[in-house]
Amino acid sequence: MNEYLKIFLSSMLIDNVVLIQFLALCPFIGMTTDTGKAFGMGVATSFVMVLATVVTYPLYHFVLSPLGLTFLQTLVFILVIASLVQLVEFYLKKSAPALYSSMGVYLALITTNCAILAVTLNCISKNYDFLQSIVYAVGSAAGFLMSMVLMSGIRQRIKIAPVPTFMKGTPVLFVAAGLLSMAFGGFSGLIK
């Protein structure tokens, strides 16, 4: 149990896909204008991230590896992720049309979200077993969701803050993201 907790906390805080690995910056900046949209995007991406790991792990270990087709892993994983995103898109269109319309093009961009592909590939490269891979994916998903909600909260504060004219817009967002990233760097000594 202690090992799984270490994997979870490490993937969520110490090796955060957005704030430490600097992946998925497009939705991180584009979808954090509103906390509701940021949370919705975080949940949708998290769902796809975990489900992609659940599907790609056995696909790699029971199909690609035994057949000597590991060189196709990136292509196959992207196809799996794209299929899962289509399922999420259909579901949101039917069950939450307001969230679906507010996400706009960013929902389709989950397909090309490099964080999802990175998590599936990291599970293979770190030699995790199936359960460890799921814990790693859940921790990474929680870290992604947390970083999205944190940034949306920071953006709400920036809206009312006296920001110099030359820093308004994207520059102050990247400064805030950099400071948030440095803060998460402080978690590096948490687990040994």
Side-chain angles (χ1 to χ4, degrees):
M1 185 63 180
N2 192 21
E3 176 189 356
Y4 296 117
L5 184 61
K6 281 183 181 179
I7 291 171
F8 178 80
L9 288 176
S10 177
S11 61
M12 182 176 154
L13 299 173
I14 298 166
D15 201 22
N16 187 286
V17 290
V18 178
L19 299 171
I20 301 300
Q21 296 182 36
F22 302 113
L23 300 171
L25 292 179
C26 181
F28 179 68
I29 296 297
M31 287 296 295
T32 53
T33 56
D34 176 57
T35 304
K37 288 195 310 187
F39 183 77
M41 180 63 151
V43 168
T45 303
S46 297
F47 177 75
V48 172
M49 192 178 289
V50 173
L51 198 56
T53 302
V54 168
V55 173
T56 57
Y57 183 90
L59 192 61
Y60 177 84
H61 287 286
F62 299 120
V63 178
L64 296 177
S65 188
L67 296 176
L69 299 173
T70 55
F71 64 93
L72 291 174
Q73 77 179 7
T74 304
L75 177 65
V76 171
F77 287 9
I78 289 172
L79 290 173
V80 167
I81 292 166
S83 301
L84 293 173
V85 169
Q86 287 300 309
L87 290 174
V88 169
E89 193 170 347
F90 291 143
Y91 176 76
L92 286 178
K93 194 172 188 178
K94 294 287 185 191
S95 66
L99 181 60
Y100 173 79
S101 63
S102 73
M103 286 183 158
V105 71
Y106 289 101
L107 185 58
L109 288 177
I110 294 175
T111 303
T112 58
N113 189 331
C114 53
I116 297 171
L117 181 61
V119 167
T120 59
L121 293 174
N122 283 345
C123 290
I124 305 291
S125 68
K126 292 177 185 271
N127 292 321
Y128 286 152
D129 62 28
F130 186 65
L131 189 54
Q132 288 173 328
S133 296
I134 292 172
V135 170
Y136 178 80
V138 169
S140 296
F144 179 80
L145 178 61
M146 179 180 56
S147 63
M148 292 288 286
V149 172
L150 278 173
M151 188 59 169
S152 70
I154 290 170
R155 286 182 78 160
Q156 297 302 316
R157 297 297 300 239
I158 288 173
K159 282 181 187 176
I160 59 172
V163 178
T165 307
F166 72 95
M167 288 293 290
K168 286 188 178 184
T170 308
V172 74
L173 294 179
F174 279 108
V175 169
L179 292 171
L180 194 56
S181 177
M182 286 175 34
F184 268 69
F187 290 122
S188 63
L190 184 66
I191 298 174
K192 294 184 183 199

